[in-house]
Amino acid sequence: MYCPEPFAENRPEILRALIQRYPLATLVSMGGNGLEANPIPLYLVPGEGPQPVLQGHVARANPLWREAPPDDEVLVIFQGPQHYISPSWYATKVETGKVVPTWNYAVVHAYGPLQVRDDPDWVRQQIVALTAQQENGFTLPWQVDDAPQDFTERLIRQVVGIEIPISRWMGKWKVSQNQPLGNRDSVIAHLEQQNRPDSETMAEYVLATRRKGKEDHSE
């Protein structure tokens, strides 16, 4: 991934937060027909160890788990918030007119070998963990045990677990860091005026870099 230094994000806690907030990943692997891309929700195992681990499951009929070379890396892409940025939002528009449209986004790329876990007990634990993460905060969170056991056991036999120990990962936060602080302020204001969840989320990301810009300047 092309990533200029101002947009590089390598802090593990920040990468972890995005994965946990946006767990639906695109898993890119080499299959029988060339490159394959599968959308799969993945669970980032808690812990601050030296090697983060992703866990998930795929349909047994999906050739991914049979075709992915066991010793080769797969690429896992987690897409965070994204938003179009209008040049009319920049404070410098009225000063010079030298502004153009762009797109803000945050993304994490993770690499590692795909390991198959064809074990019903392992799959059940993975589904329980992912479900608990996604149901957290609901008034009446659903649990796997809420469904009849024979029903869930039958479904579990129809999927195969996968695990990806992350050998390397990187983040790209393109969220207006290359703009003067005045333009960042005006972008934040216009995003907040959109009154949409995606706009508000992107405003949070730009504001975080705005604060970091102040810290870096003070140093």
Side-chain angles (χ1 to χ4, degrees), residues 57-62 65 118-120 123 127 150-161:
H57 59 273
V58 298
R60 187 170 291 276
N62 188 332
W65 67 279
D118 194 3
D119 177 346
V123 171
I127 293 175
D150 61 339
F151 171 74
T152 56
E153 294 303 320
R154 185 170 67 253
L155 293 179
I156 285 173
R157 288 194 294 271
Q158 297 174 17
V159 301
V160 176

Side-chain angles (χ1 to χ4, degrees), residues 5-75:
E5 184 58 31
F7 302 146
E9 178 57 76
N10 297 308
R11 291 172 291 176
E13 67 275 14
I14 302 299
L15 303 182
R16 280 183 170 276
L18 185 140
I19 291 174
Q20 290 167 344
R21 189 171 184 178
Y22 301 94
L24 181 61
T26 299
L27 196 160
V28 182
S29 62
M30 185 63 70
N33 296 315
L35 284 175
E36 301 280 352
N38 283 273
I40 302 172
L42 293 173
Y43 177 72
L44 180 62
V45 178
E48 302 299 329
Q51 187 173 47
V53 176
L54 297 168
Q55 295 179 342
H57 59 273
V58 298
R60 187 170 291 276
N62 188 332
L64 166 67
W65 67 279
R66 296 183 186 274
E67 296 181 347
D71 298 324
D72 291 352
E73 287 186 332
V74 296
L75 166 62

Side-chain angles (χ1 to χ4, degrees), residues 1-189:
M1 173 171 60
Y2 171 65
C3 187
E5 184 58 31
F7 302 146
E9 178 57 76
N10 297 308
R11 291 172 291 176
E13 67 275 14
I14 302 299
L15 303 182
R16 280 183 170 276
L18 185 140
I19 291 174
Q20 290 167 344
R21 189 171 184 178
Y22 301 94
L24 181 61
T26 299
L27 196 160
V28 182
S29 62
M30 185 63 70
N33 296 315
L35 284 175
E36 301 280 352
N38 283 273
I40 302 172
L42 293 173
Y43 177 72
L44 180 62
V45 178
E48 302 299 329
Q51 187 173 47
V53 176
L54 297 168
Q55 295 179 342
H57 59 273
V58 298
R60 187 170 291 276
N62 188 332
L64 166 67
W65 67 279
R66 296 183 186 274
E67 296 181 347
D71 298 324
D72 291 352
E73 287 186 332
V74 296
L75 166 62
V76 187
I77 302 172
F78 294 92
Q79 177 65 61
Q82 53 83 25
H83 206 287
Y84 172 75
I85 304 299
S86 170
S88 64
W89 294 355
Y90 292 137
T92 55
K93 175 182 179 295
V94 297
E95 300 171 6
T96 66
K98 297 178 179 180
V99 291
V100 293
T102 192
W103 215 282
N104 276 7
Y105 56 87
V107 64
V108 172
H109 284 194
Y111 303 81
L114 187 147
Q115 301 174 351
V116 176
R117 298 287 182 257
D118 194 3
D119 177 346
D121 292 336
W122 189 98
V123 171
R124 184 180 183 86
Q125 290 180 338
Q126 189 276 319
I127 293 175
V128 167
L130 179 62
T131 301
Q133 173 182 280
Q134 297 308 114
E135 292 282 331
N136 184 38
F138 288 3
T139 303
L140 295 173
W142 185 87
Q143 301 179 47
V144 175
D145 288 341
D146 290 345
Q149 184 174 357
D150 61 339
F151 171 74
T152 56
E153 294 303 320
R154 185 170 67 253
L155 293 179
I156 285 173
R157 288 194 294 271
Q158 297 174 17
V159 301
V160 176
I162 58 172
E163 188 168 51
I164 303 168
I166 298 176
S167 55
R168 55 194 174 99
W169 58 357
M170 64 181 297
K172 184 176 182 180
W173 263 237
K174 183 184 175 297
V175 287
S176 299
Q177 304 99 312
N178 58 331
Q179 292 295 326
L181 293 181
N183 279 357
R184 296 192 216 179
D185 287 339
S186 59
V187 165
I188 292 168

